[in-house]
Amino acid sequence: TVRFGCSVELQTGTGERIRFTIVGEDESNPGQGRISYVSPLAAAMIGAAVGDEVEFRGGVASIASID
């Protein structure tokens, strides 16, 4: 289950994989893959599990892994 501090790998419909780590607001740096827990993407992922889908870049991506 996705929670604060987790690294999450998303897979888009085109097969692209993108990794994000959910961090505090002061540690956030989207260009380096660190997103704030209050961001819309992180909020959508928190509580989700591998295989769940979230809105991403105007489409849908599935959660491929959680570390």
Side-chain angles (χ1 to χ4, degrees):
T1 303
V2 177
R3 62 188 184 285
F4 183 89
C6 285
S7 290
V8 181
E9 187 173 50
L10 297 179
Q11 182 169 347
T12 66
T14 62
E16 179 184 12
R17 288 182 173 244
I18 304 110
R19 180 172 290 276
F20 294 101
T21 301
I22 300 173
V23 298
E25 292 179 81
D26 58 332
E27 302 168 288
S28 176
N29 186 330
Q32 294 181 353
R34 295 190 312 264
I35 58 172
S36 169
Y37 71 98
V38 298
S39 70
L41 178 58
M45 291 192 293
I46 290 175
V50 171
D52 288 350
E53 295 184 335
V54 294
E55 289 185 26
F56 181 67
R57 294 184 180 165
V60 175
S62 63
I63 296 176
S65 69
I66 303 167
D67 298 320

